[in-house]
């Protein structure tokens, strides 16, 4: 019986391999043989999770045609991968990817490191900060005081606790968007919200327009749901969306839904202005596209000049919720461990989402909902978010200074909010930097995780999750990883030092 669980086509694998080509070799640099370069490229794709483990690879002849190389080159590359433990084969069943004993299974998303790994490896993979104490503890205590009446019920609230739905609706109304509780559904984080929306609106094979780059975990969620992703390039720098491109894609591709992060976009940090938001809603309405606006970063403005200067929410241009579905969450602004999200949409959409939930997770944990309600109702949320802004601001400034000092050739613009820095890595391969980073003690996600079909190979994403001396050390280790990549991996690398913040 075949051991593979999925398949990668020859054309798809060729595109992925082409995306990770290094910059031209300098004088005196020896290029590896063609078969070795091909084997290294496939190995990198497996280690990054961009080609899954147990994925059937194309036959040698098919891949040779797609890459315009000889079949002998592909056969030699496959044999090298088999020798190294990254490929297994069986006559009649083909060849499929594997990982050798002792190697960690590649992550498909950007999961945080286990706590035991934090002493020797600096984690720049997950854009999340520790809880803003004492507000987490206070919120949980407040929730426990409110729990007894709910403990006498069945505990299933598919639309969310009525008190929390009403509170979220009030907060939208206070922002100038009149909202009823019937327009709110509480979910298990923003991921749970978007998963529910995708299953309702975008069945397998449906087109979904996404920013390019976009949030890696959402892209993976949509791929696994069977969506056909249609990338729309972001404008240069931090200027937000290219509206000409958006209008063209919405008109020509007619995607069922479009997913956007208008507020401190992940990963670039861009902030869409009021005119861009209005025009995008108009274009989506004309095309019959449902616009999913992820505003999980909307409260994380970091510069003082942004206080009171944020553009209106995307849903302000569609207050009834017939075109725009808004997704919010406590996970970025408060704490990733607080898995509470919500959807704001038209009442009939909410009813459909709630009905479909009976076949998914039934509802969101009551205690966590009560904790968020306590934060909203006592003013604790505002104080906790202000603490979060202060942490992120200090980390951002420390990381920016450290990277500019250690890697002056890397290019980026400093965003006014959010949690991420989008960095052009001086012509180096982001995939190879990610691999080298693991060897020198820093975990960093490469640009292609945030693109479609291997785009953004020359980028990495750096989150504002470390500051002070840890940010300095992270930049030192990134510089060491860059030297490894520049030398083709032949330079000696120091073992990662144990580092305690």
């Amino acid at each position: 019986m075949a051991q593979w669980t999925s398949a990668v086509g020859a054309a798809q694998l060729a595109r992925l391999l082409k995306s990770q080509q290094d910059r031209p070799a300098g004088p005196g640099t020896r290029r590896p043989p063609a078969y070795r370069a091909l084997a290294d490229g496939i190995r990198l794709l497996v280690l990054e999770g961009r080609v899954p483990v147990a994925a059937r690879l194309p036959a040698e002849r098919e891949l040779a045609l797609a890459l315009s190389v000889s079949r002998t080159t592909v056969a030699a590359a496959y044999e090298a991968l088999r020798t190294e433990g990254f490929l297994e084969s069986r006559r009649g069943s083909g060849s499929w990817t594997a990982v050798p004993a002792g190697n960690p299974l590649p992550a498909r998303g950007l999961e945080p490191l286990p706590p035991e790994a934090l002493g020797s490896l600096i984690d720049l993979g997950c854009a999340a900060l520790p809880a803003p104490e004492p507000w987490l503890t206070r919120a949980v205590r407040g929730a426990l005081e409110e729990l007894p009446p709910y403990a006498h019920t069945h505990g299933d609230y598919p639309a969310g606790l009525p008190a929390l739905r009403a509170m979220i609706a009030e907060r939208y109304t206070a922002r100038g968007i009149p909202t009823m509780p019937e327009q709110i559904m509480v979910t298990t984080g923003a991921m749970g919200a978007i998963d529910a929306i995708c299953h309702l609106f975008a069945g397998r094979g449906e087109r979904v327009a996404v920013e390019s780059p976009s949030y890696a975990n959402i892209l993976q969620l949509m791929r696994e749901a069977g969506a056909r992703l249609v990338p729309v390039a972001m404008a240069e720098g931090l200027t937000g969306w290219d509206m000409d491109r958006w209008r063209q894609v919405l008109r020509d591709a007619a995607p069922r839904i479009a997913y956007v992060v208008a507020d401190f976009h992940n990963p670039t940090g861009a902030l869409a202005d009021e005119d861009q938001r209005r025009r995008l809603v108009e274009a989506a309405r004309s095309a019959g596209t449902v616009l999913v606006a992820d505003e999980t970063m909307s409260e994380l403005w970091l510069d003082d000049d942004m206080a009171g200067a944020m553009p209106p929410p995307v849903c302000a241009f569609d207050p009834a919720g017939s075109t725009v579905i808004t997704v919010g969450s406590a996970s970025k602004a408060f704490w990733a461990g607080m898995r509470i999200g919500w959807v704001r949409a038209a009442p009939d959409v909410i009813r459909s989402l709630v009905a479909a939930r009976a076949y998914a997770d039934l509802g969101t944990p009551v205690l966590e909902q009560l904790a968020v309600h306590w934060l909203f109702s006592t003013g604790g949320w505002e104080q906790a978010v202000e603490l979060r802004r202060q942490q992120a601001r200090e980390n951002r400034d420390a990381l920016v200074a450290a990277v500019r000092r250690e890697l002056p050739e890397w290019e980026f613009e400093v965003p006014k909010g959010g949690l991420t820095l989008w960095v052009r890595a001086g012509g180096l391969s982001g995939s190879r930097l990610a691999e080298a980073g693991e060897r020198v003690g820093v975990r960093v996600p490469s640009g292609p995780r945030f693109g479609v079909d291997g785009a953004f190979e020359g980028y990495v994403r750096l989150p504002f999750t470390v500051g002070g001396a840890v940010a300095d050390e992270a930049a030192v280790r990134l510089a060491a990883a860059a030297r490894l990549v520049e030398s083709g991996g032949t330079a000696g690398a120091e073992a990662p030092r144990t580092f305690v913040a």
Side-chain angles (χ1 to χ4, degrees), residues 223-238:
R223 289 187 188 102
E224 293 185 356
R228 297 166 60 190
L229 300 182
V230 182
V232 186
M234 297 285 289
E236 285 297 317
L238 300 177

Side-chain angles (χ1 to χ4, degrees), residues 323-334:
T323 297
V324 177
I325 298 178
T326 302
V327 172
S329 172
S331 298
K332 294 298 185 184
F334 186 75

